[in-house]
Amino acid sequence: MRSTRLLAPVMAIVAATACSSIHTSPPAQPEPAKAEYAHRGHGRGHGPSTAATLGIPPGHLPAPGQCRVWLPGTPPGHQPKARSCTLIERTAPAGSLIVYRPTEDRKVVHVRVVDERRPGVVVHLRVYDIERGILIRES
């Protein structure tokens, strides 16, 4: 008899707890920022900096005519050094960027996006104007 008196309040608490958890909504997840489309961090009045546009500080871009494998999420000082573009795709890890600056136009940067799962497989080519901090084209 005593257990019956305790059972009713316990069941009421369990039911109330279960109902309250059904009506709560999960916290809103912020949308991941896409560095190539960010329009914050304007530098010197020319538009977004290369750091805001590409996620690469201007001093870490390769010299014109050279390439650099860039590992997103790795600090700039720990990135691989710029080098010749010959066979660079073979050494590019999955999820990396291959950054190239053509010699004929110093304000342009070509970025080859390597597949997230397959090293050395380029899935996108993006061309940026680094003076204005904008994406020119993508293929």
Side-chain angles (χ1 to χ4, degrees):
M1 184 97 157
R2 187 173 184 189
S3 62
T4 312
R5 280 190 231 158
L6 291 174
L7 186 59
V10 170
M11 293 303 288
I13 291 171
V14 170
T17 305
C19 290
S20 67
S21 65
I22 292 172
H23 295 292
T24 59
S25 59
Q29 296 293 327
E31 188 172 317
K34 295 187 178 180
E36 62 269 15
Y37 299 111
H39 291 290
R40 295 182 204 129
H42 299 290
R44 299 185 182 163
H46 295 116
S49 68
T50 54
T53 306
L54 298 172
I56 303 171
H60 291 273
L61 290 171
Q66 287 200 318
C67 285
R68 183 174 201 169
V69 172
W70 189 264
L71 307 169
T74 301
H78 293 101
Q79 296 288 343
K81 296 192 180 304
R83 63 187 182 106
S84 166
C85 298
T86 307
L87 305 176
I88 198 163
E89 286 179 10
R90 288 186 182 181
T91 63
S96 66
L97 306 174
I98 301 170
V99 182
Y100 167 67
R101 290 190 57 199
T103 54
E104 65 274 358
D105 193 349
R106 292 174 176 247
K107 68 178 184 174
V108 172
V109 173
H110 296 243
V111 178
R112 290 178 271 174
V113 180
V114 178
D115 187 81
E116 291 289 326
R117 295 184 186 136
R118 299 174 293 168
V121 177
V122 175
V123 292
H124 293 289
L125 172 62
R126 296 178 179 142
V127 180
Y128 294 91
D129 179 331
I130 59 172
E131 282 187 359
R132 296 186 296 163
I134 60 169
L135 177 67
I136 297 172
R137 70 178 173 271
E138 182 174 10
S139 59

